[in-house]
């Protein structure tokens, strides 16, 4: 089971990583905080001090078209915000 799916690279997440040394990742829905901490430490070689998780709900959308009303939704996912020890950093752009 792959715990880390991908890093979140948005303006808010980038500002949080530069100011507060916190990095955001999309993780597996079944993963807990201890598994996330171990996966980050083994993948990036940093020491993690705190892990915050949240379940992001799916967005539901409705469109009115010629053929009628179409409804749909996005996928739900789990997001983890990881606090890294002072003086350490994760280079998210080196693996691209």
């Amino acid at each position: 089971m792959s715990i880390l799916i991908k890093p979140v690279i948005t303006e808010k997440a980038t500002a949080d990583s530069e100011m507060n040394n916190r990095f955001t990742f999309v993780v597996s829905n079944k993963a807990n905080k201890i598994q996330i901490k171990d996966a980050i430490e083994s993948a990036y070689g940093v020491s993690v001090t705190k892990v915050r998780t949240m379940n992001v709900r799916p967005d539901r959308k409705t469109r009115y078209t010629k053929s009628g009303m179409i409804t749909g939704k996005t996928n739900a996912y789990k997001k983890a915000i990881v606090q890294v020890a002072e003086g350490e950093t994760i280079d998210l752009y080196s693996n691209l």
Side-chain angles (χ1 to χ4, degrees):
M1 173 172 118
S2 173
I3 293 174
L4 297 177
I5 297 174
K6 65 179 180 178
V8 176
I9 301 175
T10 59
E11 285 186 40
K12 188 174 183 178
T14 305
D16 204 23
S17 66
E18 290 171 357
M19 300 282 194
N20 301 320
N21 223 16
R22 291 188 209 130
F23 298 90
T24 308
F25 295 90
V26 175
V27 295
S28 172
N29 288 333
K30 306 279 184 189
N32 60 25
K33 292 183 181 186
I34 298 167
Q35 292 171 338
I36 294 168
K37 179 180 177 180
D38 292 339
I40 296 284
E41 287 177 345
S42 65
Y44 294 103
V46 296
S47 59
V48 175
T49 58
K50 187 182 273 191
V51 177
R52 298 180 180 118
T53 60
M54 63 189 81
N55 289 313
V56 180
R57 62 177 171 74
D59 289 331
R60 300 184 190 282
K61 295 184 180 180
T62 304
R63 286 185 298 174
Y64 299 98
T65 62
K66 282 185 196 176
S67 60
M69 194 167 74
I70 297 174
T71 59
K73 70 179 184 74
T74 60
N75 291 331
Y77 59 95
K78 186 180 235 183
K79 190 162 61 169
I81 300 173
V82 178
Q83 176 86 35
V84 179
E86 193 67 34
E88 295 184 353
T89 185
I90 296 174
D91 188 14
L92 298 174
Y93 299 104
S94 66
N95 295 337
L96 295 178

